[in-house]
Amino acid sequence: MKKKLLGALLGVTLAAGLIAGCSAPAKENSNGAQSPSAKARTLSEIKDSGTIKIGVFSDKNPFGYVDANGKIQGYDVYYGKRLAKDLLGSEDKVEFVYVEAASRVEYLKSAKVDVILANFTVTDERKDQVDFALPYMKVALGVVSPDDKLIKDAAELNGKTLIVVKGTTAETYFSQNHPEIKLLKFDEYQEAYDALADGRGDAFSTDNTEVLAWAIQNKGFTVGIESIGNTDTIAAAVQKGNTELLDWINEDIKTLGKEQFFHKNFEETLKPVYGDEIDPENLVVEGGQV
């Protein structure tokens, strides 16, 4: 009887251990960052599959968005297609995966994508989570608001509601530097712009390049604060430790710089939106050299 009872208890303990093991959170490495929940594909595995998976935005015009014909377009998408061509021989050998700002790191950790090209600003906090390639763009934060209640300074937002998207540098900057400003947070960019248009917030902040483009396309709104916070860089990101893929992307960035690829990208995808509002030299980075 005792042997049967002991066996039953051991069975329960073993089952509990298995369940706990299945649901255990990812372990932290020596830097305090969580280890990936799934191993990223190597460069050779990507080549063998014949397709590279790239995470992009689907609602951040003009960097990553779905157009009226249902096709994915934008500055990041243009680069993603070239990356696929240089690696696999054809720009058609890319699978674009739509991500949200707050899910970009998780999509790399869980190996749902090989690369993130979703207007990803390089920050020290993110460097603990992912590996960034050389930059291909410069950016700062901007603030857009209605013409009849134009916000020209951060002090004018005191007591007002500022719309931000979760997981963005705008959320981090205003949370840390202006706690007196009430933040209305959304998961998606389209939700944020709809909230601004509906008057649910007094202003919206994200990358200045994007709010400038949106204001040009939406009458009645102006970017009253064209630059706030630090000037940052945008770069491709891979799962932390995926050195082989990272090194390949960096070498490709250097090669693309020799042909001024990102200036061509600007002319094709951004100039039709901005016109002469933005000097490409204030945005484009060639060869990874800021």
Side-chain angles (χ1 to χ4, degrees):
M1 181 67 179
K2 288 182 179 179
K3 288 183 178 179
K4 289 183 178 180
L5 180 59
L6 180 59
L9 288 172
L10 286 172
V12 172
T13 302
L14 178 60
L18 288 171
I19 292 170
C22 290
S23 60
K27 294 180 180 179
E28 290 188 350
N29 60 29
S30 58
N31 296 323
Q34 286 192 341
S35 300
S37 54
K39 191 175 183 347
R41 297 195 300 171
T42 64
L43 187 65
S44 59
E45 286 173 338
I46 294 171
K47 288 181 178 179
D48 288 343
S49 75
T51 303
I52 185 167
K53 297 179 181 180
I54 300 180
V56 294
F57 285 129
S58 62
D59 62 349
K60 193 169 185 179
N61 188 351
F63 298 98
Y65 66 100
V66 177
D67 67 16
N69 297 316
K71 293 184 178 180
I72 186 70
Q73 305 280 5
Y75 188 81
D76 290 338
V77 173
Y78 188 97
Y79 173 35
K81 289 180 178 179
R82 178 57 186 269
L83 193 153
K85 181 179 180 180
D86 290 348
L87 180 61
L88 300 172
S90 171
E91 65 177 32
D92 294 327
K93 294 184 177 181
V94 57
E95 178 185 339
F96 287 116
V97 179
Y98 300 154
V99 300
E100 296 175 356
S103 69
R104 290 173 293 190
V105 169
E106 180 55 35
Y107 268 59
L108 285 175
K109 283 188 172 184
S110 59
K112 292 178 181 176
V113 297
D114 302 305
V115 182
I116 286 287
L117 284 182
N119 220 231
F120 211 5
T121 304
V122 179
T123 68
D124 289 337
E125 181 182 6
R126 289 170 178 168
K127 285 179 182 178
D128 288 336
Q129 306 289 321
V130 303
D131 283 338
F132 284 102
L134 294 172
Y136 60 89
M137 195 167 73
K138 296 176 287 189
V139 71
L141 294 176
V143 178
V144 60
S145 52
D147 290 344
D148 57 354
K149 296 180 181 178
L150 190 62
I151 301 294
K152 296 182 179 180
D153 188 272
E156 296 175 15
L157 285 166
N158 193 356
K160 292 184 170 63
T161 297
L162 177 66
I163 299 166
V164 296
V165 173
K166 297 175 185 177
T168 62
T169 49
E171 179 189 18
T172 301
Y173 174 80
F174 283 99
S175 295
Q176 294 178 350
N177 296 281
H178 293 281
E180 74 281 3
I181 298 174
K182 178 183 177 182
L183 300 182
L184 177 59
K185 304 177 183 181
F186 291 93
D187 291 317
E188 299 180 1
Y189 282 92
Q190 191 57 55
E191 292 176 329
Y193 282 121
D194 288 344
L196 178 63
D198 294 345
R200 283 175 277 164
D202 298 286
F204 172 51
S205 180
T206 188
D207 295 347
N208 56 1
T209 49
E210 195 204 337
V211 288
L212 283 166
W214 189 83
I216 290 171
Q217 297 171 329
N218 292 268
K219 293 182 179 180
F221 294 88
T222 298
V223 179
I225 303 176
E226 293 192 0
S227 181
I228 189 170
N230 298 326
T231 298
D232 296 310
T233 56
I234 301 291
V238 301
Q239 189 182 96
K240 197 147 192 73
N242 197 355
T243 307
E244 187 182 23
L245 178 57
L246 182 70
D247 290 345
W248 184 89
I249 293 174
N250 283 337
E251 288 304 312
D252 194 52
I253 282 274
K254 294 174 185 177
T255 301
L256 292 175
K258 296 175 183 178
E259 64 178 73
Q260 296 289 288
F261 168 80
F262 288 102
H263 279 80
K264 295 176 184 175
N265 189 349
F266 179 95
E267 290 293 322
E268 290 287 334
T269 64
L270 302 186
K271 190 172 179 59
V273 176
Y274 294 125
D276 296 324
E277 292 289 324
I278 290 183
D279 183 346
E281 300 309 317
N282 294 331
L283 184 149
V284 173
V285 174
E286 294 284 6
Q289 299 295 315
V290 180

